[in-house]
Amino acid sequence: MILFDLKCENDHVFEAWFKDNAAFKDQSEKGIVLCPNCSSKKVKKALMAPNVSLANSEKKQASTSELAKAQKFISEAQKAIENNFDYVGKDFASEARKIHYGESDKKNIYGEASETDAKSLKEEGVAFATIPWKTKEDA
């Protein structure tokens, strides 16, 4: 696993973990790497200083342990969402609006939204969150 500093077109800087450089490139090209601040899909690697101070094994072990905890947390959160929310797929924006405006009963949903839809939902005040999602290959 590798941690990249990323930067979106709106100059938001954030970090994300990837299996390797090829995984970042593949996910970026598919448009599934999103800025957590503005949901922009136009994300590039930002300049970052290399971490070369991991000479002692305690630091390496702690770093690996923290990564394992984060991956476990993401997996558990994803399972909880899959077990307790209704999957609406690419209809997420439409369904979220219906719930927000009282056209549908309130319920927990999850799915996919385009960058444009995410921006529109945000502007309309529709409450939603973008979270990291592990594909079946990553699980």
Side-chain angles (χ1 to χ4, degrees):
M1 295 294 288
I2 186 167
L3 177 67
F4 287 126
D5 283 345
L6 303 176
K7 188 175 186 178
C8 77
E9 65 182 336
N10 296 312
D11 292 326
H12 298 125
V13 178
F14 56 100
E15 296 178 334
W17 289 97
F18 296 90
K19 179 179 177 184
D20 53 28
N21 194 46
F24 166 75
K25 184 178 178 187
D26 181 57
Q27 291 178 32
S28 289
E29 290 174 355
K30 289 180 180 175
I32 57 176
V33 179
L34 301 175
C35 173
N37 296 303
C38 65
S39 299
S40 172
K41 290 182 182 179
K42 294 182 181 176
V43 174
K44 294 182 181 179
K45 285 190 243 175
L47 291 177
M48 55 190 274
N51 186 353
V52 292
S53 66
L54 292 178
N56 99 33
S57 62
E58 277 184 32
K59 287 184 181 178
K60 287 182 182 177
Q61 189 175 15
S63 184
T64 302
S65 174
E66 292 303 313
L67 174 60
K69 286 179 190 175
Q71 289 174 328
K72 183 179 179 188
F73 177 80
I74 290 170
S75 292
E76 288 173 356
Q78 184 170 333
K79 284 179 190 171
I81 290 168
E82 289 173 333
N83 290 333
N84 297 295
F85 289 45
D86 292 333
Y87 178 69
V88 295
K90 299 210 182 272
D91 293 332
F92 178 81
S94 174
E95 292 298 319
R97 277 189 185 92
K98 287 178 186 175
I99 293 168
H100 178 76
Y101 292 114
E103 298 168 9
S104 288
D105 293 335
K106 287 189 176 185
K107 62 183 176 180
N108 295 322
I109 62 171
Y110 75 104
E112 299 103 46
S114 70
E115 179 182 342
T116 303
D117 284 338
K119 280 184 178 181
S120 294
L121 289 172
K122 190 174 185 177
E123 289 169 1
E124 292 176 49
V126 177
F128 72 99
T130 302
I131 62 169
W133 200 261
K134 293 173 72 173
T135 62
K136 296 299 178 194
E137 301 91 46
D138 292 338

